[in-house]
Amino acid sequence: MLTFYQTVTMHLPVGIAVRGGTAGMEGMAGMAMAGIAADSWSVASATTFLAVWTLMMAAMMLPATAPMIFMFATAQAKRERHVAIPTWIFVAGYMLVWAAAGLLVYVSVQFGSELATSLDPPQRSRWAPLALGATLGVAGLYQFTSLKHICLSHCRSPLAFVAQYWRDGRVGALEMGLRHGVYCFGCCWALFAVLVAAGVMSVAWMLLLTLVVFVEKLLPRGRRFEGALGIALVGLGIFVSLGAIEMPWVSD
């Protein structure tokens, strides 16, 4: 799926589309997702963006969601013979949440493009590290919030989730998928904000974030990793903001 994603997006422009010219990966151009440029406000661009975004989310999030999907299918099998369709409906509900999140990202990237257009190159180079550093800091601090812990606890406990929120029928499967998607989004939105702010959507970065989400959700020591990651993100944000670390996607 990652290979297919790269094939689909490799022909698209890279970075924020500055009105009247392309900023590439310079300065505030890092606020766009590489390979998913925001050329203009249009239904066509939004549709393309959401299609690629949803494909990317499926590639990155479904591996860590597999235990929840398996638990739902197991519970469904104990209640009736038809398992495949309700399970796919559950997955569809889950992905609908991430597709909706893609709308927010699309709007953010469009406004980022307009902001990049209003700044000259020196200003973009000066403000980009601050924007990325602030995003890293927020993501790091979010790792220690109660909302993060609550959402992560639901994601880490498939059996408890299915037992607490089980709903019969196909509508019930959709409702459960949507609910799980909301918890998953609540758990991971800040990490994806960093990815969007960094402007890097390469397969390597996708695999790295997929691994981070996998460790947080599935490994026994995920909670310890959660705190360590928060500290690392805050520290990296400080260094990036001060210019002590020159990130490749925000350098001139």
Side-chain angles (χ1 to χ4, degrees):
M1 185 174 287
L2 289 174
T3 302
F4 178 68
Y5 161 82
Q6 190 177 38
T7 302
V8 169
T9 60
M10 66 186 299
H11 70 284
L12 297 175
V14 175
I16 276 184
V18 176
R19 316 307 184 205
T22 301
M25 292 304 291
E26 180 191 33
M28 282 300 294
M31 293 298 291
M33 294 185 296
I36 312 179
D39 295 324
S40 61
W41 294 93
S42 69
V43 174
S45 67
T47 301
T48 301
F49 186 98
L50 290 178
V52 175
W53 169 268
T54 304
L55 175 64
M56 183 182 67
M57 290 298 100
M60 298 179 70
M61 302 305 298
L62 289 182
T65 311
M68 186 69 75
I69 297 173
F70 177 77
M71 184 61 64
F72 175 87
T74 301
Q76 180 69 25
K78 293 180 179 179
R79 288 167 170 80
E80 56 179 277
R81 292 183 302 171
H82 304 290
V83 176
I85 293 178
T87 301
W88 279 110
I89 292 175
F90 176 84
V91 174
Y94 174 81
M95 292 308 304
L96 277 174
V97 174
W98 285 106
L103 286 174
L104 298 177
V105 175
Y106 175 76
V107 172
S108 299
V109 171
Q110 287 290 356
F111 279 118
S113 295
E114 294 178 356
L115 179 59
T117 302
S118 67
L119 300 174
D120 56 35
Q123 287 178 312
R124 290 197 295 269
S125 298
R126 181 169 62 253
W127 284 102
L130 294 176
L132 179 56
T135 306
L136 286 163
V138 169
L141 293 175
Y142 184 70
Q143 293 289 108
F144 301 99
T145 64
S146 298
L147 181 59
K148 169 75 177 190
H149 298 328
I150 292 172
C151 292
L152 185 58
S153 65
H154 281 282
C155 293
R156 287 175 58 85
S157 306
L159 180 60
F161 177 87
V162 170
Q164 183 176 357
Y165 297 112
W166 180 263
R167 298 291 185 273
D168 291 321
R170 297 181 179 182
V171 175
L174 179 62
E175 181 182 340
M176 291 180 66
L178 290 170
R179 185 184 293 272
H180 177 53
V182 170
Y183 279 125
C184 190
F185 177 77
C187 177
C188 303
W189 70 267
L191 296 176
F192 283 104
V194 171
L195 198 60
V196 173
V200 178
M201 283 295 177
S202 69
V203 171
W205 274 91
M206 290 172 64
L207 289 173
L208 177 60
L209 187 54
T210 301
L211 179 62
V212 168
V213 173
F214 186 89
V215 170
E216 268 199 340
K217 290 187 176 183
L218 302 183
L219 295 192
R221 298 183 181 274
R223 291 298 295 269
R224 293 186 180 181
F225 176 79
E226 178 188 356
L229 178 62
I231 294 173
L233 289 171
V234 170
L236 182 60
I238 293 173
F239 282 116
V240 170
S241 298
L242 295 176
I245 297 179
E246 192 171 284
M247 309 301 277
W249 51 85
V250 298
S251 60
D252 293 336

